[in-house]
Amino acid sequence: MKIGCPTEIKPQEFRVGLTPNAAQEAIGHGHSVIVQSGAGAGAGFEDEAYRAVGAEIAGSAEEVFEAAEMIVKVKEPQAGERKMLREGQLLFTYLHLAPDPEQTRDLMASGCTAIAYETVTDGKGGLPLLAPMSEVAGKLAPQVGAWTLQKANGGRGVLMGGVPGVGPAKVAVIGGGVVGIHAARVAAGMGADVTVLDRSLPRMRYLDDVFGGSFKTMFASAGNTEEIAREADMVIGAVLIPGAAAPKLISRAQLSEMKPGAALVDVAIDQGGCFETSKATTHADPIYEVDGIMHYCVANMPGAVARTSTIALGNATMPFLLALADKGWKQACAEDENLLNGLNVHGGKLTYAAVGEALGIDVEDAKGLVGA
Ligand SMILES: NC(=O)c1ccc[n+]([C@@H]2O[C@H](COP(=O)([O-])OP(=O)(O)OC[C@H]3O[C@@H](n4cnc5c(N)ncnc54)[C@H](O)[C@@H]3O)[C@@H](O)[C@H]2O)c1
């Protein structure tokens, strides 16, 4: 199969869909790879690294879309890219179609087959192509929160780990899932006094069993959340209710009871945010102040560490990418229900029920399409 990787054109996106390592593996499987010149530059992969493993370098996105049977990307195709997709072409990338009727219509009109990273499953209730980005955002959260706490940035001027004779920062992490666990580990590693709040007892049992020595757990009742927010130097919002907007766990009124200059890091901002006063910010202007409390609410945190994020995403997509290239999408999806769950659009039809429900579009049964 000819696999194509264009340069990402969405603003502030520096990741790339295919690493030189992934290109090498695909070529090793007998496929050919065409990469747009400069596609990997934002993540630190020069054209030469792709050439060295046998990939072809193309001068333009048009050339890549024209030549490739499968397009591998990171972000959803932008309007100009959607015009270049064609019938029978395979698209493998993040799509997030439910809130995006325009993109959905364009993909259906193109006749392409689109497999969305975010709906591929792992058979254990997890989303293996979303998890790496949650891991990155979780590990970044205490790092950006520590920066936000610095005096010059409007923060309390508190050092995460303290020093001999001076206690550490108090950090509360609300939500102990993939983001929360990684945030808590890093914050604890920086020497902070960390408490993770969650509403799932099995999750807290797991956290307590595995990390009991490095951070505490607490049930996320409204009362506990209020109390811990009053004492915290930093609160990291890391909750997720699948398919729903994030619940608002700290109200504006509560800000006046918090320590002046405390930092709120709302990782859940991509789901609307879990603090009432959260509004999405960008890497260019990441923080703002409300009632003396500093807010960090960047919606695409992994973009700050594009190289790590690209490699992490590439590791997770690689087995699916190889299966799609080796077997063709139909057989690969027929043999793997987790990959089939990624199928969102095929031959002008929508194939993912939740997107159909959100947009009021009839859905074709994906299983029926592949004879599974
Ligand atoms: N900003 C970014 O760049 C970025 C990047 C990756 C993920 N995210 C977001 O981070 C959030 C967390 O993602 P995740 O992968 O860790 O999800 P996850 O499903 O692994 O974990 C969510 C946790 O929240 C807990 N929870 C749900 N409701 C709660 C409540 N009311 N109080 C306390 N805990 C509650 C759940 O029990 C679960 O343990 C999501 O909104 C996700 O979209 C943002």
Side-chain angles (χ1 to χ4, degrees):
M1 189 182 277
K2 188 138 191 162
I3 303 169
C5 177
T7 305
E8 293 297 321
I9 55 173
K10 196 166 178 178
Q12 300 265 321
E13 183 53 68
F14 300 105
R15 290 172 292 177
V16 60
L18 204 64
T19 60
N21 270 346
Q24 183 178 24
E25 296 245 354
I27 290 164
H29 277 232
H31 307 294
S32 59
V33 170
I34 179 165
V35 178
Q36 186 179 348
S37 177
F45 298 118
E46 301 306 328
D47 290 351
E48 200 37 55
Y50 291 96
R51 267 199 206 99
V53 298
E56 182 188 334
I57 298 296
S60 67
E62 285 79 4
E63 262 179 73
V64 173
F65 277 82
E66 176 70 34
E69 297 164 82
M70 167 162 49
I71 297 287
V72 182
K73 277 177 51 60
V74 178
K75 282 296 190 188
E76 72 278 5
Q78 305 299 292
E81 295 175 312
R82 302 200 290 266
K83 287 203 187 93
M84 293 190 272
L85 288 165
R86 62 170 181 271
E87 191 166 351
Q89 199 167 34
L90 183 57
L91 173 66
F92 191 39
T93 190
Y94 287 119
L95 291 176
H96 297 286
L97 291 181
D100 196 346
E102 206 177 308
Q103 187 201 169
T104 307
R105 267 197 309 273
D106 286 356
L107 290 184
M108 289 168 67
S110 74
C112 80
T113 299
I115 300 187
Y117 290 166
E118 71 274 7
T119 64
V120 172
T121 52
D122 65 5
K124 293 178 283 186
L127 300 168
L129 305 188
L130 271 186
M133 295 306 100
S134 286
E135 290 162 358
V136 169
K139 286 201 159 174
L140 256 182
Q143 188 174 315
V144 296
W147 175 82
T148 305
L149 273 180
Q150 290 175 24
K151 200 71 196 164
N153 299 320
R156 259 177 83 62
V158 168
L159 182 63
M160 290 289 269
V163 289
V166 183
K170 286 194 170 170
V171 174
V173 180
I174 312 181
V178 182
V179 168
I181 205 170
H182 286 82
R185 281 177 58 198
V186 167
M190 291 167 97
D193 173 0
V194 182
T195 305
V196 178
L197 296 97
D198 204 294
R199 291 183 81 87
S200 157
L201 277 175
R203 188 66 190 168
M204 282 188 291
R205 278 197 191 102
Y206 168 78
L207 294 176
D208 192 66
D209 272 353
V210 178
F211 301 105
S214 37
F215 52 81
K216 295 160 271 187
T217 58
M218 187 183 267
F219 186 74
S221 62
N224 281 346
T225 306
E226 215 169 291
E227 187 184 325
I228 204 120
R230 266 200 300 270
E231 292 166 6
D233 297 294
M234 183 191 307
V235 182
I236 297 173
V239 299
L240 178 67
I241 300 177
K248 303 292 179 222
L249 302 173
I250 295 183
S251 67
R252 177 156 193 171
Q254 279 170 261
L255 297 189
S256 61
E257 293 174 24
M258 291 180 65
K259 295 179 180 167
L264 294 180
V265 179
D266 199 344
V267 185
I269 189 66
D270 62 338
Q271 301 293 326
C274 61
F275 311 129
E276 190 186 350
T277 41
S278 295
K279 60 175 168 47
T281 58
T282 63
H283 291 295
D285 192 10
I287 57 174
Y288 63 94
E289 178 262 349
V290 179
D291 297 346
I293 304 300
M294 299 309 298
H295 294 56
Y296 175 101
C297 304
V298 172
N300 66 332
M301 291 175 68
V305 287
R307 187 174 172 85
T308 300
S309 300
T310 291
I311 299 169
L313 182 60
N315 291 344
T317 55
M318 180 146 15
F320 298 106
L321 178 83
L322 292 177
L324 288 167
D326 290 350
K327 302 173 186 173
W329 76 270
K330 208 168 210 173
Q331 194 192 335
C333 287
E335 288 177 10
D336 180 357
E337 199 172 334
N338 291 312
L339 183 56
L340 181 62
N341 286 333
L343 187 67
N344 276 232
V345 174
H346 170 68
K349 296 269 182 350
L350 197 61
T351 56
Y352 197 78
V355 175
E357 242 167 71
L359 299 178
I361 301 176
D362 287 343
V363 167
E364 176 120 356
D365 177 42
K367 277 191 176 163
L369 272 177
V370 299

